[in-house]
C-alpha cells in the first residue's frame, strides 16, 4: 500500500541534493582600491560628496538659486542644468563649472557654492574598525591626528590591544600598512605616538589575547 508519510523524507532529501548540486560558492574579488584625493596634510581642501547639502547662489538670478542635496551618484539637478557631477570637487571649482554651464543661458553668470551637512566622498572619510568604543566612518577634518580620531570614536574598549593596531593607507595606488601605538598614546599619554591622519585612512584595532 502507498504510504505518503514514508515518501516525504525521500522527496525532501532529493530536493536538498538537487539544490546543493546546483549551488556553488566562491570568494568575491577584493574591493577596488580607491585612493584619497588628498595626499598631504598641508594641501587639504574639502571635497563635496553624496549626502552634502549645497547652497548654489546665482547672483541676480534668485529664481535659479537654491539648496540641493547631492544624490548617491554624486550629482545634482538644478533649475537650468540637469545632472551636474559635483562629487570630488571643491565648492569653488564647482562654482566655476556651473558658471560655464549657465553661460549658455545667462550673460556672465556669477555663482557661489556653500556646503551644509558635510559628508564628503567615501574615499575621503576615515574609518575605525575593531575594538573602538564606537567604531565608525568619520568625515575628515583638516589637520586631524590619531588622537583626534580616537576621541571621536570614544577611545578603546577594555578588550582592545591598542599597541597592535594598524593603519592602512593607499599610496601611489597601493595599500600600505603602518603600526600605530594607540595604548601608549591614550592610556600612557605618550604624545610622541600621535601621528597625522589622512583622508581615506583605515584604523584597525584588534582584540587583546589574554
Amino acid at each position: 500500500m502507498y504510504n505518503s508519510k514514508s515518501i516525504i523524507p525521500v522527496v525532501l532529501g532529493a530536493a536538498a541534493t538537487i539544490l546543493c548540486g546546483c549551488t556553488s560558492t566562491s570568494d568575491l574579488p577584493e574591493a577596488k582600491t580607491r585612493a584619497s584625493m588628498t595626499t598631504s596634510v598641508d594641501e587639504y581642501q574639502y571635497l563635496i560628496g553624496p549626502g552634502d547639502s549645497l547652497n548654489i547662489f546665482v547672483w541676480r538670478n534668485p529664481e535659479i538659486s537654491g539648496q540641493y542635496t547631492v544624490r548617491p551618484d554624486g550629482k545634482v539637478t538644478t533649475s537650468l542644468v540637469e545632472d551636474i557631477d559635483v562629487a570630488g570637487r571643491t565648492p569653488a571649482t564647482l562654482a566655476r563649472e556651473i558658471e560655464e554651464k549657465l553661460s549658455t543661458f545667462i550673460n556672465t553668470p556669477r555663482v557661489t557654492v556653500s556646503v551644509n551637512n558635510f559628508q564628503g566622498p567615501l574615499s575621503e572619510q576615515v574609518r575605525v574598525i575593531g575594538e573602538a568604543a564606537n567604531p565608525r566612518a568619520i568625515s575628515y577634518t583638516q589637520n586631524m591626528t590619531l588622537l583626534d580620531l580616537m576621541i571621536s570614536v570614544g577611545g578603546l574598549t577594555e578588550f582592545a590591544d591598542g599597541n597592535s593596531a594598524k593603519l592602512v593607507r593607499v599610496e601611489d595606488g597601493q595599500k600600505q600598512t603602518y603600526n600605530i601605538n594607540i595604548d601608549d598614546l591614550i592610556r600612557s599619554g605618550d604624545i610622541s605616538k600621535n601621528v597625522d591622519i589622512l583622508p581615506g585612512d583605515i584604523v584597525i584595532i584588534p582584540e587583546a589575547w589574554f
Side-chain angles (χ1 to χ4, degrees), residues 57-119:
F57 175 73
V58 185
W59 188 57
R60 289 184 175 176
N61 290 272
E63 69 281 0
I64 59 173
S65 301
Q67 183 167 307
Y68 306 90
T69 300
V70 183
R71 304 194 309 251
D73 63 357
K75 299 178 181 180
V76 296
T77 297
T78 66
S79 302
L80 287 180
V81 183
E82 294 184 354
D83 290 348
I84 306 174
D85 248 322
V86 301
R89 288 153 173 76
T90 67
T93 299
L94 177 59
R96 302 295 81 76
E97 290 184 12
I98 294 176
E99 286 175 350
E100 183 178 351
K101 292 178 182 296
L102 289 180
S103 63
T104 304
F105 313 99
I106 301 171
N107 185 32
T108 316
R110 293 175 60 185
V111 176
T112 301
V113 175
S114 58
V115 183
N116 297 316
N117 188 33
F118 299 96
Q119 298 289 329

Side-chain angles (χ1 to χ4, degrees), residues 128 130-135 147 149-158 160 182 186-187 205:
V128 182
E131 294 300 316
N134 184 24
L147 180 59
L149 182 63
M150 294 312 301
I151 291 172
S152 297
V153 298
L156 299 170
T157 69
E158 61 178 310
I182 302 177
I186 65 176
R187 287 176 172 162
I205 306 170

Side-chain angles (χ1 to χ4, degrees), residues 29 35 40-41 58 92 94 145 149 151 155-156 158 171 176 192 206-207:
S40 169
V41 293
V58 185
L94 177 59
T145 66
L149 182 63
I151 291 172
L156 299 170
E158 61 178 310
E171 298 176 339
Q176 302 292 334
S192 69
E207 185 177 357

Side-chain angles (χ1 to χ4, degrees), residues 17-88:
T17 301
I18 293 171
L19 181 61
C20 291
C22 296
T23 304
S24 61
T25 60
S26 60
D27 294 332
L28 289 168
E30 182 182 358
K32 183 178 179 181
T33 298
R34 293 176 173 85
S36 166
M37 301 174 198
T38 302
T39 57
S40 169
V41 293
D42 298 321
E43 298 175 1
Y44 173 71
Q45 289 185 300
Y46 180 78
L47 303 177
I48 297 167
D52 284 353
S53 178
L54 305 181
N55 287 314
I56 300 176
F57 175 73
V58 185
W59 188 57
R60 289 184 175 176
N61 290 272
E63 69 281 0
I64 59 173
S65 301
Q67 183 167 307
Y68 306 90
T69 300
V70 183
R71 304 194 309 251
D73 63 357
K75 299 178 181 180
V76 296
T77 297
T78 66
S79 302
L80 287 180
V81 183
E82 294 184 354
D83 290 348
I84 306 174
D85 248 322
V86 301

